[in-house]
Amino acid sequence: MNTENRNVYLDHAAATPTDQAVVDVMAEFNVDLKGNAGSFHSEGKRAKDQLDKARAFVAEFLGARPDEILFTGSGTESDNLAILGYARVSAKHGKHIVTTSIEHHAVLEAMQHLERKEGFELTVVPVEKNGIVDAKKVLDAIREDTTIVSVMLVNNEIGTIQPVGEIGNAIEKMKKNGKAQHVALHTDAMQAAAYLEIDVKKLHVNLLSINGSKVYGPKGVGALFVKRGTKLQPLTFGGAQEKGIRPGTEDVASIIGFATALQIVKERRDADAVHLLPLREKLIEGILNSIPKTRLNGDRVQRVPNNVNVSIMDLEGEALLLYLDAQGIYASTGSACTSASLDPSHVIIALGMPFEVAHGSMRFTLGRETTEDDIDYVIEQLPPLVEKLRAISPVRVDPKYYE
Amino acid sequence: MSDYKAEPVKGRKGDVSAHDGASSWFYSDEVKEHFFNPKNYIMNDVDESQFNAIGKVGSPACGDELRVWLKIDKDERIVDFKWKTFGCGSAIASTSMASVMVTENGGMTLDEARSIKPQDIMTRLKGLPARKFHCSVLCDKAIRDAINDYFRRTEQIDRMIVEAKRMIDPVAKVTDHDIEEAVLDGALDLDAVQKKTKVGVGNPTILPAVEELIRFYREKYFG
């Protein structure tokens, strides 16, 4: 195969390409409308109408009411607003907060901030070896003084689907029995939105975060579902936008782009899954069969159809990432070398793996435009690159981690 | 497929990250050359009888492990330098560059090799990203470890030099030894080490290197 012009983008969990229909609708808005959605004149009203339409659609997408949707500037902001906003407003009822060991940093670091700087007590529930949290362990962590509980719907590194609905249902039952009165369940659904049906009622959540960059929408826009009656303390101040909880002039173009992207997701989610699942299986099989000393990270079945995460023993992920890059294959690694903190993936460590296995983890996340030919190309290119890096490596990982 | 190991891995000319060639790569061209075509590395198993000095530094837990095998002649010049590394792009490139620097022009004397500083390797590589700098620090340590090994083997114990302290934070005057002591004293994360040493408080750019050291010592002493 010709490697010169290959462009195999397998990093959709980092960002999806923006759908052309989304780009078009945003461009049209930017040309036609100049008003501030908060202004009391016709131009402002036109922007406001577009904003309301988008809000109604996002609400419908999540099975919520329009007044339960807040727009934010990113998924990270949605997560932060949910966790900091609820924990702070509820501090008079209790200062115990709960999350899992595999959350995105947008959740984990917000939780750790509350613990380190604001006197909260944090319980981090470990996950099982397959990368899925045991719902019972989360429920057992809940106490009378627990407020925010955050469990992601799909993990961003290993793609495992978490039992959020089961946890939410049980919390509702606890509340009916007079327990856990101040608990609000939050879920980070960023990596789920493009692949799973999301219904806030079935998930029994109070708070849910989604964003544009993982659903073929624009980057820099997110939404937070806030169930009626769930109070939040704002993080920013100075305006009445988004009920005063997220003040600031709304980026209406991005918001309608986001809503359009979700509309497309709704139409083709099932077809996308049918397209992706066999490709995912082919890539997993291809890697595990053609490269010795590899392991699949995360449950094989309970994972979204676009995620492949493998640890390739005895090598360091950044080096492999750069060798793959040279062949036109774009992936991601849990190696410390590509993270700003120089810490290896906390998710792979949470599976009970040692540092060297986390350093050698590679994530391939497929997307709508991924073809079978792309997968064949990866399976062909990967083994010699792995063999070269292994040959110059002095490290031999203990076989118990991959056999 | 049969002899791919002998083939250098080809990067795209000029730019790997963008097809239009307009933007730059993560590393300099020198780093790129040594990363895609590393020099003097040992493929697969090592015949240690061919060498008279062996050095090792790092551990896979902290992301980099480096081993070097040197052949030192009777005039105490390093005539051969072979290595293996588990590490990122700049770790591979800096080790490869160090092997060239040590063996070029008839080979360095032991004194010359011992005085190589990470900065010297980085200069020859035309720079490394700031947060990657710790990677090439490993290489000079491995060379000094191997030279000590040579003196041990040749029973010149008096010539061995125990690794000097390395200044980690020149602002707070904190050395790697101070961090090691703090970890031994039970400070197992950055917050705790900072409470004891004030390392990086006024100098946050060094924090990644500090965290690396904490992890290294934690692994070394507490497993």
Side-chain angles (χ1 to χ4, degrees), chain A residues 13 19 34 61 65 67 82 84 112 128 132 166 194 214 225 230 239-240 248 252 318 349 375 380 403:
Chain A
D19 193 288
K34 54 178 170 280
F61 182 87
R65 304 162 47 107
D67 63 358
L84 300 175
Q112 285 164 351
E128 305 304 303
I132 297 175
E166 189 185 338
K214 317 298 188 222
F225 158 76
T230 305
V252 181
E318 192 218 59
I349 302 291
I375 301 301
E380 180 203 284
E403 274 171 356

Side-chain angles (χ1 to χ4, degrees), chain A residues 318 325 339 342-343 387 391, chain B residues 4 16 84 89 131-132 215:
Chain A
E318 192 218 59
D325 184 291
S339 77
L342 291 175
D343 278 322
E387 197 140 348
Chain B
Y4 58 83
V16 184
K84 269 181 176 294
R131 48 184 287 278
K132 290 287 191 182
R215 192 153 57 232

Side-chain angles (χ1 to χ4, degrees), chain A residues 60-72:
Chain A
E60 188 198 323
F61 182 87
L62 297 174
R65 304 162 47 107
D67 63 358
E68 293 176 316
I69 303 300
L70 297 182
F71 289 112
T72 67

Side-chain angles (χ1 to χ4, degrees), chain B residues 69-80:
Chain B
W69 292 267
L70 308 183
K71 194 190 282 177
I72 297 165
D73 73 7
K74 58 180 178 6
D75 300 325
E76 297 201 336
R77 280 188 182 275
I78 299 170
V79 292
D80 200 5

Side-chain angles (χ1 to χ4, degrees), chain B residues 89-164:
Chain B
S90 66
I92 290 173
S94 63
T95 310
S96 170
M97 177 56 91
S99 73
V100 170
M101 290 166 69
V102 167
T103 53
E104 66 194 355
N105 305 324
M108 282 186 175
T109 64
L110 295 186
D111 283 344
E112 286 167 341
R114 190 144 63 181
S115 66
I116 287 185
K117 291 186 182 61
Q119 286 82 350
D120 304 332
I121 300 166
M122 192 163 93
T123 303
R124 283 281 293 265
L125 286 170
K126 304 268 167 68
L128 283 171
R131 48 184 287 278
K132 290 287 191 182
F133 188 53
H134 75 282
C135 305
S136 57
V137 173
L138 284 182
C139 193
D140 62 301
K141 280 190 164 182
I143 293 170
R144 289 195 292 274
D145 190 43
I147 292 173
N148 277 343
D149 182 51
Y150 173 76
F151 290 142
R152 195 179 297 117
R153 288 168 187 234
T154 52
E155 298 185 353
Q156 306 182 67
I157 306 298
D158 55 318
R159 293 183 70 189
M160 288 172 66
I161 296 179
V162 177
E163 196 64 41

Side-chain angles (χ1 to χ4, degrees), chain B residues 163-198:
Chain B
E163 196 64 41
K165 290 177 209 168
R166 186 161 59 96
M167 188 61 78
I168 301 299
D169 184 349
V171 180
K173 300 272 187 296
V174 177
T175 66
D176 55 354
H177 182 68
D178 295 329
I179 294 170
E180 185 173 11
E181 286 297 316
V183 171
L184 276 169
D185 221 20
L188 297 182
D189 60 24
L190 182 62
D191 275 357
V193 170
Q194 281 190 318
K195 275 196 190 110
K196 281 187 193 296
T197 65
K198 303 276 178 276

Side-chain angles (χ1 to χ4, degrees), chain B residues 6 57 60 71 74 82 165 169 213-214 219:
Chain B
V57 67
K71 194 190 282 177
K74 58 180 178 6
K82 292 280 191 287
K165 290 177 209 168
D169 184 349
L213 277 170
I214 294 169
E219 183 79 8

Side-chain angles (χ1 to χ4, degrees), chain A residues 271-306:
Chain A
D272 281 349
V274 169
H275 165 68
L276 289 167
L277 198 58
L279 296 180
R280 179 193 83 182
E281 286 304 300
K282 182 168 189 174
L283 184 54
I284 292 174
E285 286 294 327
I287 293 173
L288 297 183
N289 290 339
S290 67
I291 306 176
K293 301 174 76 173
T294 45
R295 80 183 294 272
L296 179 71
N297 293 314
D299 195 85
R300 178 81 183 248
V301 180
Q302 281 291 100
R303 69 194 298 144
V304 281
N306 78 320

